[in-house]
């Protein structure tokens, strides 16, 4: 699968990546219940990734690979990258190989960040899929005093980040019946953070449209602050 064109990005084999970079912002490629002829994993790709990487480099000084970086869940090359980003997981439909690959990755030390899914129906689907991957560990609310909320920036409130259309027209911030934003987590039995879950919110749109003067600064500022915290926490734990 390496080298195959995927949406507007390219899967790149680890051995062919430029070695001089400190961090590769990695997006998960997974199977789904396809809608409207596009893959759910590809939402906002590559612009959200590119915009976030620019901000991450500027705000932290980390030498970040600046191309879209896509890795299928079942590929063993995934283990080269300790942090993984997945979107629209409310439509996820993992194959056995993908579920096994993700489980192996997480138990070996990887960390998954999920984003941009809304409401009770999409939650039920994601919960079913992630439980098939990690059946022994519960999903909990991330404690307010957890270090991920203070690794670089202090996050004292979990904001609901709307999609670009709702953001630019002043609301609503919610979609479907996802009225309340949550930052949830899955920890292993030693307390290591395996999965960080942004539910009823859309960080990716806030990254993608951060330079649009009509998209509210409040949301893009929050999304970058939380995104930087998630990366720095994942890379140091």
């Amino acid at each position: 699968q390496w080298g195959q064109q995927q949406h507007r990005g390219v899967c790149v084999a680890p051995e062919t990546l430029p070695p001089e970079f400190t961090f590769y912002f990695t997006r998960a490629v997974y199977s789904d219940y396809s809608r409207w002829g596009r893959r759910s994993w590809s939402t906002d790709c590559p612009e959200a990734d590119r915009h976030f990487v620019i901000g991450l480099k500027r705000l932290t000084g980390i030498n970040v690979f600046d191309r879209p970086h896509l890795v299928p869940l079942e590929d063993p090359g995934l283990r080269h990258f300790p942090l993984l980003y997945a979107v629209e997981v409310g439509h996820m439909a993992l194959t056995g190989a993908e579920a096994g690959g993700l489980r192996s990755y997480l138990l070996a030390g990887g960390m998954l960040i999920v984003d941009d899914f809304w409401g009770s129906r999409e939650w039920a689907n994601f919960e079913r899929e992630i439980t098939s991957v990690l059946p022994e560990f519960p999903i909990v609310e991330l404690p307010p005093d957890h270090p991920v909320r203070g690794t670089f920036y202090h996050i004292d409130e979990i904001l609901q980040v709307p999609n670009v259309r709702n953001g630019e027209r002043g609301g609503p911030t919610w979609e479907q019946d996802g009225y309340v934003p949550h930052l949830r987590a899955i920890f292993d039995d030693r307390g290591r953070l395996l999965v960080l879950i942004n539910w009823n919110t859309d960080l990716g749109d806030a990254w993608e449209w951060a330079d649009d003067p009509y998209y509210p600064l409040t949301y893009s500022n929050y999304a970058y602050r939380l995104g930087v915290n998630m990366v720095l926490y994942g890379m140091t734990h």
Side-chain angles (χ1 to χ4, degrees):
Q1 290 176 314
W2 294 113
Q4 179 182 2
Q5 291 289 333
Q6 297 275 8
H7 192 57
R8 290 169 290 174
V10 180
C11 293
V12 182
E15 61 271 17
T16 67
L17 285 170
E20 67 269 21
F21 294 96
T22 303
F23 179 69
Y24 302 82
F25 185 68
T26 305
R27 178 183 284 251
V29 177
Y30 64 84
S31 299
D32 65 359
Y33 303 105
S34 183
R35 303 176 303 160
W36 309 308
R38 68 166 173 83
R39 312 310 304 188
S40 293
W41 66 261
S42 68
T43 299
D44 302 327
C45 181
E47 292 305 321
D49 308 48
R50 287 174 172 162
H51 280 77
F52 178 63
V53 163
I54 290 170
L56 183 63
K57 292 169 69 172
R58 181 174 63 84
L59 295 168
T60 68
I62 296 174
N63 187 21
V64 187
F65 182 59
D66 56 4
R67 291 180 57 199
H69 183 236
L70 317 174
V71 183
L73 290 179
E74 72 273 23
D75 198 293
L78 185 62
R79 285 200 180 194
H80 290 265
F81 312 104
L83 203 67
L84 184 64
Y85 176 67
V87 301
E88 291 215 7
V89 293
H91 299 276
M92 179 179 275
L94 298 179
T95 66
E98 289 170 337
L102 180 56
R103 176 178 174 81
S104 175
Y105 168 79
L106 295 172
L107 295 182
M111 176 176 153
L112 173 67
I113 296 167
V114 299
D115 179 33
D116 190 11
F117 71 118
W118 300 81
S120 55
R121 179 177 296 181
E122 292 189 6
W123 173 264
N125 185 79
F126 169 69
E127 185 177 35
R128 181 174 60 251
E129 294 296 314
I130 201 65
T131 299
S132 75
V133 174
L134 298 168
E136 67 271 50
F137 303 128
I139 301 172
V140 299
E141 296 289 339
L142 187 78
D145 61 348
H146 190 275
V148 80
R149 292 182 61 167
T151 299
F152 194 78
Y153 296 103
H154 179 65
I155 307 293
D156 56 2
E157 180 184 5
I158 304 303
L159 295 184
Q160 184 164 64
V161 179
N163 65 53
V164 62
R165 293 182 299 278
N166 289 355
E168 290 186 342
R169 66 190 180 194
T173 59
W174 47 269
E175 297 179 32
Q176 302 179 47
D177 62 347
Y179 306 114
V180 179
H182 291 269
L183 187 55
R184 291 178 171 174
I186 299 176
F187 298 93
D188 69 11
D189 51 13
R190 296 173 296 172
R192 185 173 69 83
L193 181 57
L194 305 178
V195 185
L196 191 59
I197 304 163
N198 296 279
W199 178 42
N200 294 334
T201 193
D202 189 353
L203 304 181
D205 254 26
W207 297 337
E208 180 178 5
W209 300 98
D211 56 357
D212 184 333
Y214 296 101
Y215 188 82
L217 179 62
T218 298
Y219 302 128
S220 55
N221 183 40
Y222 168 80
Y224 272 98
R225 289 167 61 226
L226 181 56
V228 167
N229 277 16
M230 293 188 299
V231 168
L232 292 183
Y233 180 86
M235 293 297 288
T236 54
H237 292 73

